[in-house]
Amino acid sequence: MDKVKVNMFVNGKPVSLEVKPYARLLDVLREDLGLTGTKEGCGVGECGACTVIVDGETVNTCLTLAASMDGKHITTIEGLMENEKLHPIQEAFIKHNALQCGFCTPGLIMSAKALLDSNPNPSTEQIKVAISGNLCRCTGYEQVVDAIKEVAEKSK
Amino acid sequence: MADSSITRVDVLAKALGKAKYTDDLKFDNMLYLKVVRCPHPHARVIGINKEKALAIEGVVAVLTATDIPGLPCQPKERPILVPEIARYAGDGVALVVAESPKAALEGAEAVRVEYELLEAVFDPEEALKTGAPLVHGDNNVAAQSKVCKGDVEAGFKEADLILEREYNTHRVEHAPIEPEVAIAVPTFEGITVYCPTNSPFQVRQIVAETMAMPQSQIRLFQPTIGGSFGSKCYDAGVLASRAALAAKLTGRPCKIVYTREESIVESTKRHPYKMKYKVGVKKNGKLTAMEVKIIGDSGAYKSKTPFVISRSSIEATGPYVVPNVHTEAICVYTNNVTSCAMRGFGSPQVAYASELLMDELAEKLGIDPLKFRRINGLKDNSLSATGQVMQNVTLDECLDKLEQEIKWSSRKAELKQQDKTGSIVKGLGLACMYRGESFGSAGQGSDYAGATLQVQRDGSITLYSAMSEVGQGGHTMLVRVVSEVLGIKPSRIFVSPVDTCYVPDSGPTVATRGTYVIGNAIRLAAEEVKAKFAEVAAEELGVRPEELVFKDERIYCPGDPSKSISFSRIAAQCYLKSKSPYGYGWWSPPVGSWDREKGQGEAYSSYVYGACAAEVELDLDLGKVEVMKFVAVHDVGKALDKEEVKGQIAGGVSMGIGYALMEDLVVRQGVVKTVNFDEYLLPTSLDIHEIIPVIVEQPSSYGPLGAKGLGEPVMSAVAPAILNAIADALGTRVYDLPANLEAVLDKARAAKGRCCND
């Protein structure tokens, strides 16, 4: 099958790739670009472990065709650190014990980032809604919500 | 605590997305596997036609049971590939090995298997009847366990009230977010397997048996583990063996990773139980006798069923003094998906039944349910159901804290006054729990742990154990124990990845034994290092070793501050003087007497206690229940890290809410129907409201630094507290799990006298 050419920006860097028309963005990130921080938990868009940010919006990369990413800006968990410094959300997750096994963590952090980028001062309810597409089996979400709240409060 | 502010040792890499889970690993020349599964619950494999599959571009091989050099499985265990009979709809029949995941999938779809369908059995009670289809051998009994104390008939005669109830608990999925995965790499010396598992040495044993190779030639390496909750033991053993088989036969690295659908269809579940309770009680609230009959569904294979059922029979009465007890528990083979260990390991089912029962008894006698628990609750020197003299019992303390935190009496009174004419009603309920730590004397198998420390020349330390860091903070717990014993900063300690080539066997990370058993092994290792270092330091300082204290990174003489030397310097001195800088610990819990016939004796050497309360809001029109507030009081012995304890409690409560209200693995005629998270519903952030963890710290006599296990106990009391709150709100009871929309709406309509067309 013919491949499709895609020019996109991944974590700020231009990336030019030829992908199969049916290739999922998840597989292209993990396999072709080696960005394994994005995880697969269900493959049907229910668990949110594969969440990344595309042009400011969260998407489930297991449901997204890589071929549709032409011209888009994609941020993955690997793109959060700046100048070797932890992103405040990463710092807060660690401080609040908001992660245990860590498998859902990159997805949760990306959902938190998309929320705070668009709404720096969210209510608890808005935080809960923003992460409601990310299943976490370990933490029970409380410390995750606390971590996101703290980042929001600090940025005031 | 030397330094209570340190973060967990494993979280930085996880937060950065840099932690390497098994599926993140790549090897040159790697092949991919896909399992061909039997779609029928019970069938004989007549023939396997590989031709079409082998013709597909990229398919390298199609393997079947005849390719297995060793054992496909131990008797009555799940085979790597079935030699003849498939016993559930999901049993692996063939394994397609291909150059890409896509070719493997196409290959698996092209394998033609001819089956002779066999009569199947799905109901455990049916499976016990004469003439029922046999799953294994000449009867379907997978395991049984009894507890008999006193004379129940005499006890019932003494009673003023006798209540008989039946409770059903359902089958649920562990659902760690990381699905099962394994990679096997053939090496000159043997096979290296990368696999997330909670039981590295057990998985290695299964691989060695499959491959007919010495265990020492199988090297099992644990990458980061994306959750387990008990599931990644036998399931991982099967997966790892499939990968090893393909790697050995092709001479190339082989990866097998399940989709969520494969995971749910194949993996083990929590045992569904049918429980019949008959209980006698006096007017003053004192229990006189309890008769319990439990029948559990083991599914198609044995797995940990004998251990799960024995724990259930021991804990069936709940943490109460019952003078006369007769419990008979049996688990039965069926052609359903296999049941195995899951967080709580046989405790949550009986905690559910016994706590609903206690609540109803209290109600019938007009006694406050919290007071009723106090009347009957175990205390120091009480006799347990197994006749054990209980020590260090903290149930009352847990109830005290619960009462304070939720303001039990006043809140109860407030809720009594609520306006119940609208569509939302509120209720408050509680439940208690107790649980024996580790495997116990009842014979859950040998129980031991080894652990090693090597102090390096620069004073940094490498810690070796087989503790599986499944997310619970197990590695950090070990670091804290060592830091406390040696008076050094946790940052000095590096936890070695679990690699069976190097680490000592610490047993599996299951059964509330991580902190208790492995924690003690590392304590002993640290104490050995301490003794050796004290010798060397004493010589340097010109004092006796017993005069020395290890604190703040130094070894010194409290009486004379000038006699002081740094920990690092003594580390260097050990190497200079050719003294051993190693510590090795081997610990196994004390084993008490146990009469297997009667189920009497010292079942466990240590117990944990807890008390929980739930406040619910129930929508009478929708049947929807929201757990608005959940207070969970647990005795943790000593909290090695309070934030971590809170995280364990919140996670357990969340899983318990799923168990109580929404999770339900639907199996019809042996076929799993809820195969992904769109149908198998896990709690999301919107389902979880306020969770208040409360810690009781009554140091354990045996636990390291007085600590007790927590990960599993936090599950037990959640569902019964919620169901008791639902009963409080509705004035009528749901007896079977889950209390989902349909079940609650049914009761709500009955309670309100509404009809279905309302």
Side-chain angles (χ1 to χ4, degrees):
Chain A
M1 206 179 289
D2 284 349
K3 287 192 171 183
V4 183
K5 183 143 182 147
V6 186
N7 294 303
M8 54 190 177
F9 296 87
V10 179
N11 298 328
K13 291 186 188 131
V15 172
S16 212
L17 276 179
E18 292 208 338
V19 301
K20 290 180 181 139
Y22 55 81
R24 305 182 299 175
L25 178 56
L26 174 63
D27 298 324
V28 168
L29 290 173
R30 288 178 53 85
E31 302 296 327
D32 299 344
L33 302 177
L35 299 171
T36 55
T38 305
K39 307 296 184 197
E40 177 164 7
C42 73
V44 296
E46 288 289 333
C47 79
C50 67
T51 305
V52 304
I53 299 175
V54 177
D55 290 347
E57 303 276 342
T58 54
V59 304
N60 288 316
T61 53
C62 72
L63 297 182
T64 307
L65 291 178
S68 70
M69 289 295 106
D70 200 48
K72 307 272 189 195
H73 286 79
I74 299 165
T75 310
T76 72
I77 187 74
E78 289 90 348
L80 252 59
M81 274 228 288
E82 273 180 35
N83 305 322
E84 296 295 300
K85 262 195 78 181
L86 285 178
H87 188 280
I89 302 175
Q90 291 170 317
E91 226 169 84
F93 265 60
I94 292 173
K95 185 182 157 197
H96 285 270
N97 288 51
L99 62 159
Q100 291 183 24
C101 87
F103 200 79
C104 72
T105 306
L108 266 168
I109 289 178
M110 297 319 286
S111 290
K113 183 176 189 307
L115 168 72
L116 294 176
D117 285 350
S118 65
N119 176 6
N121 192 17
S123 66
T124 303
E125 205 49 37
Q126 285 170 324
I127 294 174
K128 284 188 166 189
V129 170
I131 61 164
S132 62
N134 296 90
L135 294 175
C136 172
R137 194 61 158 162
C138 298
T139 65
Y141 308 104
E142 279 230 319
Q143 288 154 314
V144 176
V145 174
D146 290 346
I148 299 170
K149 253 191 219 167
E150 186 186 270
V151 179
E153 270 155 26
K154 271 192 182 165
S155 73
K156 272 182 196 167
Chain B
M1 204 70 249
D3 180 358
S4 59
S5 65
I6 68 146
T7 48
R8 284 174 47 151
V9 297
D10 54 328
V11 291
L12 181 60
K14 289 174 176 176
L16 290 170
K18 287 186 176 172
K20 290 291 177 195
Y21 297 78
T22 305
D23 191 28
D24 301 338
L25 304 177
K26 267 189 182 175
F27 295 87
D28 287 342
N29 218 15
M30 193 156 73
L31 295 168
Y32 299 84
L33 311 182
K34 204 77 184 172
V35 181
V36 178
R37 294 186 176 82
C38 176
H40 312 293
H42 203 187
R44 176 175 282 116
V45 178
I46 303 290
I48 300 173
N49 187 337
K50 309 173 182 178
E51 252 173 64
K52 278 190 179 162
L54 287 170
I56 289 170
E57 195 187 334
V59 171
V60 173
V62 178
L63 308 177
T64 64
T66 54
D67 296 305
I68 296 172
L71 295 174
C73 58
Q74 289 292 341
K76 302 187 180 182
E77 294 293 5
R78 176 147 51 108
I80 308 314
L81 296 167
V82 302
E84 188 193 355
I85 308 286
R87 294 183 168 85
Y88 80 108
D91 244 338
V93 174
L95 193 60
V96 176
V97 189
E99 298 285 350
S100 70
K102 188 167 172 284
L105 178 63
E106 286 169 3
E109 281 167 358
V111 173
R112 291 285 164 264
V113 185
E114 195 189 334
Y115 296 102
E116 175 198 341
L117 300 191
L118 303 173
E119 205 189 337
V121 63
F122 308 112
D123 180 282
E125 284 175 310
E126 291 296 318
L128 281 179
K129 289 182 182 164
T130 318
L134 293 171
V135 183
H136 296 279
D138 54 11
N139 71 68
N140 285 326
V141 176
Q144 7 191 4
S145 180
K146 265 188 193 175
V147 169
C148 312
K149 184 178 77 163
D151 178 347
V152 279
E153 287 315 316
F156 287 131
K157 275 186 193 142
E158 276 178 56
D160 295 316
L161 172 72
I162 289 174
L163 198 64
E164 288 186 67
R165 287 290 177 266
E166 183 181 310
Y167 306 93
N168 287 285
T169 61
H170 58 321
R171 187 181 271 110
V172 290
E173 177 78 14
H174 302 76
I177 307 299
E178 176 196 41
E180 294 82 353
V181 53
I183 301 173
V185 180
T187 63
F188 182 74
E189 299 80 13
I191 303 172
T192 302
V193 180
Y194 299 82
C195 181
T197 165
N198 58 19
S199 308
F201 283 87
Q202 206 166 348
V203 168
R204 184 186 70 163
Q205 181 186 339
I206 295 171
V207 174
E209 288 168 358
T210 307
M211 300 310 300
M213 285 169 70
Q215 289 179 8
S216 52
Q217 283 180 19
I218 308 293
R219 179 176 168 192
L220 191 123
F221 184 94
Q222 260 181 3
T224 310
I225 304 170
S228 168
F229 312 108
S231 69
K232 289 174 179 168
C233 180
Y234 284 107
D235 291 339
V238 168
L239 223 78
S241 298
R242 285 172 179 165
L245 175 68
K248 185 75 182 172
L249 296 182
T250 60
R252 290 169 64 178
C254 287
K255 178 189 265 193
I256 179 166
V257 52
Y258 285 173
T259 62
R260 181 58 60 183
E261 287 84 357
E262 288 178 285
S263 169
I264 291 185
V265 164
E266 184 181 304
S267 73
T268 55
K269 319 293 175 208
R270 188 187 295 287
H271 289 78
Y273 278 6
K274 180 189 279 276
M275 295 169 280
K276 290 180 180 164
Y277 276 69
K278 180 179 176 185
V279 61
V281 64
K282 283 179 167 294
K283 274 185 194 149
N284 64 8
K286 285 268 186 192
L287 297 166
T288 62
M290 203 183 277
E291 193 175 75
V292 186
K293 289 206 168 87
I294 300 171
I295 178 161
D297 187 350
S298 174
Y301 296 103
K302 187 164 72 177
S303 73
K304 292 203 172 71
T305 287
F307 313 139
V308 170
I309 197 74
S310 70
R311 181 179 285 276
S312 299
S313 67
I314 291 163
E315 296 176 1
T317 58
Y320 304 106
V321 178
V322 190
N324 305 290
V325 179
H326 188 95
T327 300
E328 279 184 31
I330 186 167
C331 265
V332 184
Y333 291 122
T334 64
N335 296 109
N336 291 319
V337 60
T338 310
S339 305
C340 191
M342 180 172 173
R343 194 179 201 169
F345 208 102
S347 299
Q349 293 97 326
V350 292
Y352 173 75
S354 57
E355 288 302 316
L356 262 64
L357 188 65
M358 292 301 136
D359 235 50
E360 208 174 344
L361 284 176
E363 188 191 311
K364 296 242 183 273
L365 293 171
I367 299 176
D368 174 79
L370 196 145
K371 191 177 167 204
F372 187 80
R373 264 88 171 180
R374 284 196 198 282
I375 293 171
N376 291 293
L378 292 171
K379 291 165 183 62
D380 278 346
N381 299 315
S382 293
L383 275 192
S384 75
T386 68
Q388 181 171 4
V389 182
M390 303 298 274
Q391 299 297 343
N392 226 342
V393 180
T394 52
L395 186 65
D396 273 332
E397 217 173 326
C398 292
L399 282 168
D400 289 345
K401 292 231 175 174
L402 183 75
E403 197 166 7
Q404 287 161 21
E405 182 61 44
I406 201 142
K407 299 183 181 66
W408 177 259
S409 308
S410 57
R411 190 63 190 143
K412 264 281 193 205
E414 276 169 33
L415 290 175
K416 220 168 186 180
Q417 301 301 318
Q418 70 178 296
D419 174 13
K420 284 200 174 180
T421 56
S423 59
I424 304 285
V425 291
K426 293 179 183 175
L428 181 65
L430 87 145
C432 297
M433 61 80 49
Y434 81 137
R435 178 184 163 81
E437 287 193 274
S438 81
F439 291 153
S441 316
Q444 281 189 210
S446 51
D447 202 355
Y448 56 81
T452 308
L453 291 171
Q454 185 192 1
V455 185
Q456 310 293 345
R457 201 177 278 262
D458 62 0
S460 64
I461 296 177
T462 314
L463 187 161
Y464 302 93
S465 84
M467 165 71 87
S468 304
E469 177 54 76
V470 290
Q472 85 285 37
H475 283 179
T476 309
M477 179 278 296
L478 296 176
V479 166
R480 283 178 188 282
V481 172
V482 174
S483 126
E484 183 97 342
V485 173
L486 294 176
I488 52 167
K489 286 185 181 155
S491 55
R492 277 187 184 274
I493 303 156
F494 170 78
V495 182
S496 163
V498 174
D499 181 334
T500 58
C501 224
Y502 306 119
V503 301
D505 187 349
S506 318
T509 304
V510 300
T512 317
R513 66 182 295 285
T515 298
Y516 184 44
V517 186
I518 311 177
N520 265 315
I522 204 70
R523 174 183 60 81
L524 290 177
E527 282 169 1
E528 189 177 312
V529 168
K530 190 175 179 179
K532 287 175 174 172
F533 271 41
E535 287 279 337
V536 177
E539 204 173 293
E540 289 284 311
L541 299 172
V543 295
R544 281 175 295 123
E546 53 274 20
E547 290 178 70
L548 292 169
V549 165
F550 286 60
K551 208 182 161 197
D552 298 332
E553 301 263 295
R554 301 194 73 78
I555 302 161
Y556 65 94
C557 201
D560 180 356
S562 70
K563 307 269 189 198
S564 169
I565 194 161
S566 75
F567 184 85
S568 307
R569 195 167 148 72
I570 292 301
Q573 286 297 101
C574 279
Y575 285 87
L576 275 175
K577 294 186 168 178
S578 307
K579 300 271 186 189
S580 159
Y582 277 88
Y584 174 66
W586 179 268
W587 197 79
S588 78
V591 178
S593 61
W594 186 252
D595 175 347
R596 196 171 298 278
E597 277 304 298
K598 290 186 175 158
Q600 292 293 292
E602 289 144 1
Y604 298 96
S605 53
S606 172
Y607 292 81
V608 295
Y609 298 86
C612 297
E615 185 170 327
V616 301
E617 274 186 20
L618 195 156
D619 188 322
L620 295 170
D621 295 326
L622 300 174
K624 182 144 177 58
V625 176
E626 299 280 353
V627 181
M628 300 313 294
K629 188 175 188 177
F630 197 93
V631 179
V633 185
H634 289 280
D635 175 13
V636 300
K638 177 181 169 64
L640 296 179
D641 179 331
K642 289 203 167 142
E643 280 306 309
E644 219 24 64
V645 166
K646 285 181 184 173
Q648 281 297 305
I649 291 178
V653 170
S654 167
M655 197 179 265
I657 289 173
Y659 189 47
L661 300 177
M662 61 188 81
E663 293 180 36
D664 189 9
L665 192 97
V666 178
V667 181
R668 289 206 190 95
Q669 295 295 301
V671 177
V672 177
K673 296 293 179 187
T674 47
V675 295
N676 208 324
F677 296 146
D678 52 342
E679 294 163 313
Y680 186 85
L681 303 181
L682 297 177
T684 74
S685 54
L686 297 172
D687 298 305
I688 308 299
H689 304 287
E690 195 181 8
I691 297 173
I692 302 172
V694 181
I695 299 170
V696 171
E697 290 186 287
Q698 171 72 32
S700 150
S701 320
Y702 298 111
L705 314 175
K708 296 172 185 171
L710 180 69
E712 296 194 271
V714 292
M715 258 305 283
S716 289
V718 183
I722 294 170
L723 272 280
N724 286 337
I726 293 174
D728 184 50
L730 279 179
T732 174
R733 280 185 180 273
V734 176
Y735 291 100
D736 299 339
L737 286 178
N740 56 17
L741 300 180
E742 291 83 356
V744 174
L745 192 57
D746 235 29
K747 291 284 177 182
R749 281 177 171 151
K752 278 221 143 190
R754 296 178 177 197
C755 80
C756 303
N757 303 323
D758 198 14

